[in-house]
Structures are given as C-alpha cells and as structure tokens.
C-alpha cells in the first residue's frame, strides 16, 4: 500500500503535464489518497468487525488492485483524482483488515513482534516506492507501471487466500481463556 502511494512521486511532473494540472492540483492529487484513507478508516473498522479480518483484508486487496488499474487508465485530472480517492478508501480497509488479522492470528506473546514486522514492511514500501516507481515508469510508462503494481496486489491477494486456508483459525474463533477475552470485540474497545 505504501509502495503504491509513493510510486507516484517520480511520476508527478509527467502526470501534471499530461493532465494539464498545476502544482496545486498535483498536491491535491497526492494528498487525496490519505484524505480518503482517514475519512474511510472508521467505516473500514466497522466493516472489518462485521465481516471479519480475513474477508475484509481480501476484499480490500481486490479493491486496491482495481483502483490501481483505474489510476493507470485514468484520462484527465478528475479521473486521476477519483482513482486516487478509491485507492485511499481501499487502503483504509487494507490497513484495518491487515492489522486486525495480525491480532486475531497471533497470541499476545507474539503479537507485538508480528505488528513490528508488518510496520517494517510499510517502511520498506516507503523506501522502495519512489525508486521502483521511477525505474518502472522509465521502462514501462505510467500505465504499465500501475498495471504491474495491480498485478503485484493480485499476487498478494492470491497468497493471502492460500495462507488463509493453511493458517490456523483466528484466536477469536477459539475458546476464550479469560473473562476479558469472552467479551464481544466491540465492547472490549470501549
């Protein structure tokens, strides 16, 4: 997700020229994903609680792939803005579902380590995003770069489906050990 966000950075000058956008328009385009991620995060959290982390995470990966293809195919500034907004909405679901999945599949003694590894992956994506975006754009062009990124997201989706079948049942599906664990998840948050 972070890799996709930051792949855009080296493409901004070309996107601006192609879409006839000013620097202010490009700043708005860059910020739109984060704005929609923040706005949609509470909805994504409620959806994750209702559908479960595995379903939410898988659906968000499909949505992210589709929104990335929409970004690749966008013509004009408004279409780019809409595709970027969709990336932000699906990113909110991806983050919520992913972190929920970690907490549901790792016992408390290994949970912090698993979350730290996930956040290390975010850092790696932030470091590699601009580099890969620039290299891919020079090689594949804007459309090809985002099609390749969408293919990577679809591979992640396939891996998540395979791992969901092979992985142990979420801890929440197992018998709770303590009275605190027996409370519904939503009540534990309050």
């Amino acid at each position: 997700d972070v890799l996709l966000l930051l792949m855009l950075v080296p493409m901004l000058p070309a996107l601006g020229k192609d879409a006839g956008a000013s620097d202010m328009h490009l700043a708005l385009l860059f910020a739109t994903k984060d704005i929609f991620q923040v706005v949609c995060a509470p909805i994504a959290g409620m959806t994750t609680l209702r559908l479960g982390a595995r379903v939410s995470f898988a659906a968000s990966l499909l949505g992210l792939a589709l929104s990335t293809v929409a970004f690749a195919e966008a013509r004009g500034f408004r279409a780019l803005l809409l595709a970027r907004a969709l990336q932000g909405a699906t990113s909110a679901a991806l983050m919520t579902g992913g972190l929920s999945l970690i907490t549901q599949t790792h016992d408390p003694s290994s949970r912090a380590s698993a979350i730290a590894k996930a956040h290390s992956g975010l850092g790696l994506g932030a470091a590699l995003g601009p580099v890969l975006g620039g290299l891919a754009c020079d090689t594949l062009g804007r459309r090809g770069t985002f099609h390749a990124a969408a293919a990577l997201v679809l591979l992640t989706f396939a891996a998540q489906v395979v791992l969901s079948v092979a992985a142990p049942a979420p801890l929440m599906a197992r018998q709770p050990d303590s009275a605190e664990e027996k409370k519904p998840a939503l009540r534990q948050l309050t």
Side-chain angles (χ1 to χ4, degrees), residues 48-49 51-57 97-108 111 160 163-177 181 185:
T48 298
L49 281 174
L51 299 177
R54 289 180 189 213
V55 171
S56 177
F57 188 68
L99 288 175
S100 295
L101 189 57
I102 289 171
T103 61
Q104 289 177 5
T105 56
H106 291 78
D107 60 50
R111 195 172 292 153
Q160 193 266 336
L163 290 174
S164 289
V165 172
L171 293 174
M172 296 175 83
R174 300 177 200 158
Q175 290 294 331
D177 294 330
E181 289 181 45

Side-chain angles (χ1 to χ4, degrees), residues 3-163:
L3 181 105
L4 285 176
L5 169 69
L6 295 177
M7 282 177 66
L8 176 66
V9 172
M11 295 180 221
L12 284 175
L15 284 173
K17 191 182 296 182
D18 292 346
S22 68
D23 288 344
M24 183 62 163
H25 286 104
L26 292 177
L28 178 62
L29 178 66
F30 193 73
T32 296
K33 179 184 181 286
D34 293 323
I35 292 166
F36 274 81
Q37 186 171 354
V38 167
V39 168
C40 293
I43 298 165
M46 288 184 281
T47 303
T48 298
L49 281 174
R50 182 170 300 271
L51 299 177
R54 289 180 189 213
V55 171
S56 177
F57 188 68
S60 63
L61 283 169
L62 287 177
L64 185 61
L66 290 173
S67 65
T68 303
V69 170
F71 196 89
E73 297 301 322
R75 303 283 185 254
F77 182 73
R78 287 184 182 161
L80 288 170
L81 202 59
L82 179 60
R84 200 67 175 162
L86 291 172
Q87 283 181 329
T90 57
S91 178
L94 185 68
M95 293 294 184
T96 304
L99 288 175
S100 295
L101 189 57
I102 289 171
T103 61
Q104 289 177 5
T105 56
H106 291 78
D107 60 50
S109 65
S110 65
R111 195 172 292 153
S113 175
I115 290 173
K117 288 175 186 173
H119 280 281
S120 295
L122 294 175
L124 186 61
L128 292 177
V131 174
L132 292 178
L135 292 172
C137 191
D138 285 347
T139 306
L140 305 171
R142 177 180 68 91
R143 290 180 66 217
T145 298
F146 281 96
H147 282 285
L152 181 62
V153 173
L154 288 174
L155 284 173
T156 304
F157 168 78
Q160 193 266 336
V161 169
V162 168
L163 290 174

